[in-house]
Amino acid sequence: MDAVDIVLIMFTGLWLFIPAMLPNSAAAMFGGGPKIDFGKSWRGRRIFGDGKSWRGLFGGGLAGVAVGLVLIGISSIWDSENFWGFGPFWSNIGILFCLSFGAILGDLMGAFIKRRLGMERGQKAPILDQYDFVFGAFLMTSIFFPHWVYSTFVEGWHIAALFFILALMFIIHRGVNIIGYKLGIKKEPW
C-alpha cells in the first residue's frame, strides 16, 4: 500500500462520514417547537434543555440522510455496485440512517451529560462538544452494521480514515459553529 492509497482511504472515509457531519447543523436550522424532554427535569436539572427539539431531531437526521442520498447518487456515476463504500443499496440506506440519527443522538447524549455536570446550554465543553456526535454516529452504526464500520474505519490501513476524521472534526466543528454564529443560527461560536 502506497501513500496515494492511504490518502484515498482517508478521503473516502471522510466522504462516507458526511451524512453524520450535517445533522447537528441542520438541527439548529430546523429546531424550535416542542422540546424533546418536554421541559422535564431529572435530579433537579433539565434532562436535555431548551436547545433540543423534536423538529431539530427529525429535521437534522433527515437532512443527513438526504445529503447521504445525494452522495450515493454522485458516487453511483463511478461505482454503481458499491456506491463508493456505502455498500449495496438497501444496506446503504440503513447506514445513512444510523450515521445521521446516531450523530443527533450522540449530540443529545452530550447535552444530557452537560446537564448532569451542571453546565448550562451553550456552555463550552471541550472534547464533548466536538466528538459527541462522532461517538454517537459510530456507536449506532456499529450496532446495526458492525462489519461496515470495521471494514471502512478500522481494518488495516482503514484506521487512517478514522484518525483523519477525528483530526478534522475539531477544525470543522469550530468553523461550522463560527459560521452558524455569524449567520445568527447559533448563540455561541463554539
Side-chain angles (χ1 to χ4, degrees):
M1 173 124 353
D2 63 6
V4 172
D5 291 332
I6 294 170
V7 170
L8 183 61
I9 287 171
M10 291 165 51
F11 280 99
T12 300
L14 182 63
W15 172 269
L16 296 171
F17 198 68
I18 289 173
M21 294 166 58
L22 177 74
N24 289 325
S25 298
M29 292 180 359
F30 287 108
K35 305 305 172 205
I36 293 175
D37 63 9
F38 299 107
K40 303 286 183 190
S41 295
W42 183 59
R43 296 188 177 195
R45 300 193 194 281
R46 284 286 297 276
I47 297 171
F48 299 114
D50 284 334
K52 307 300 176 197
S53 70
W54 290 105
R55 279 189 357 210
L57 182 130
F58 288 109
L62 292 174
V65 171
V67 79
L69 290 172
V70 169
L71 295 175
I72 288 169
I74 292 168
S75 65
S76 70
I77 295 168
W78 292 279
D79 183 6
S80 62
E81 199 170 300
N82 193 32
F83 301 103
W84 259 354
F86 281 108
F89 185 75
W90 290 110
S91 293
N92 64 36
I93 298 300
I95 290 167
L96 292 178
F97 271 89
C98 288
L99 287 170
S100 299
F101 282 94
I104 291 283
L105 294 175
D107 184 62
L108 198 59
M109 288 300 99
F112 179 79
I113 291 168
K114 285 171 82 171
R115 298 301 90 77
R116 302 296 66 79
L117 294 173
M119 300 173 82
E120 295 299 320
R121 177 181 175 206
Q123 190 173 342
K124 197 179 227 181
I127 298 176
L128 184 60
D129 288 337
Q130 288 82 18
Y131 296 105
D132 56 0
F133 78 97
V134 175
F135 177 75
F138 278 123
L139 178 63
M140 181 171 265
T141 311
S142 293
I143 290 169
F144 292 100
F145 298 94
H147 177 71
W148 182 82
V149 172
Y150 179 75
S151 64
T152 307
F153 294 102
V154 179
E155 184 178 37
W157 281 103
H158 290 271
I159 194 85
L162 178 62
F163 287 131
F164 185 56
I165 288 169
L166 293 175
L168 282 177
M169 282 310 104
F170 180 81
I171 296 164
I172 292 171
H173 184 269
R174 183 77 176 126
V176 167
N177 284 329
I178 289 170
I179 291 167
Y181 176 74
K182 291 190 183 250
L183 292 174
I185 296 170
K186 291 188 61 73
K187 293 182 181 174
E188 305 84 15
W190 50 79

